Amino acid sequence: MSVLDEREIINMNKRTHLFGRRTGVGLVVATSIVSACYVVPTTGPDGTVQYSHYPLPPAGTPLPPPAGGATPATLTVRLYPSNEQATHTGVVSGSVTNMMTGKGRFVVNYLGEVLSGEATRVSNEEKRGVASAYSSGGMYMSCEYQMNTPHQGAGTCSFANGAKYQMHIGN
């Protein structure tokens, strides 16, 4: 995109008014012309608005990893009944997102309620942790688990209604 094209778009956008308000015509034209770059307004040293374009990476280009190292991993969680109270629900499924920082987000759908909470490694233990979750309807659960790898582990969970489960994390 040339500087002339950018100026034409800006001028067209300034001239295009309907009842005192800008219409989306300039935006539509800009979008169709600039489909492969961002137009980013910045303020110059003298206070004027300057427009620069930044090309988009080609489709399918992997994103750089976030600062700080490992990327989060979302793992499946399956809870298998281990007492009479739990047999009424069968296998319960959910997920845990391992933030690779010693913390995780835990979500499970139980008896029509979505319980959400967190999983945290026990201090001084890289593989052992606890997880807790709560629903707006008042149901809660607590779990203890041990990870074999950052992507696989096992443990036990207890619910407020007395149901107990064996937990399997990962595939």
Side-chain angles (χ1 to χ4, degrees):
M1 170 185 292
S2 71
V3 173
L4 181 60
D5 291 339
E6 289 177 12
R7 288 185 185 148
E8 288 174 3
I9 292 168
I10 294 165
N11 288 334
M12 183 179 8
N13 205 12
K14 288 179 182 175
R15 289 189 309 258
T16 309
H17 291 277
L18 180 63
F19 304 114
R21 294 183 181 179
R22 290 184 186 168
T23 64
V25 174
L27 182 59
V28 171
V29 171
T31 303
S32 63
I33 292 172
V34 191
S35 61
C37 66
Y38 292 111
V39 177
V40 180
T42 57
T43 305
D46 60 353
T48 60
V49 176
Q50 300 172 348
Y51 294 87
S52 303
H53 75 281
Y54 297 93
L56 294 174
T61 302
L63 295 174
T71 58
T74 300
L75 309 170
T76 59
V77 174
R78 291 168 315 284
L79 305 176
Y80 293 92
S82 63
N83 71 357
E84 184 64 33
Q85 181 66 28
T87 60
H88 302 290
T89 62
V91 177
V92 176
S93 296
S95 66
V96 64
T97 301
N98 184 347
M99 305 308 288
M100 304 298 181
T101 61
K103 289 261 188 203
R105 292 186 303 257
F106 189 69
V107 177
V108 65
N109 189 337
Y110 182 71
L111 297 175
E113 294 185 59
V114 176
L115 286 78
S116 60
E118 63 183 309
T120 307
R121 276 190 229 140
V122 175
S123 63
N124 299 327
E125 286 283 338
E126 282 192 27
K127 297 182 178 187
R128 231 170 44 86
V130 295
S132 303
Y134 179 78
S135 77
S136 60
M139 180 59 73
Y140 59 90
M141 64 178 290
S142 60
C143 305
E144 293 184 9
Y145 62 90
Q146 181 151 341
M147 299 299 291
N148 301 327
T149 71
H151 302 282
Q152 190 177 50
T156 59
C157 295
S158 300
F159 284 76
N161 63 0
K164 295 187 184 294
Y165 294 84
Q166 291 294 318
M167 176 172 63
H168 295 266
I169 304 168
N171 292 326

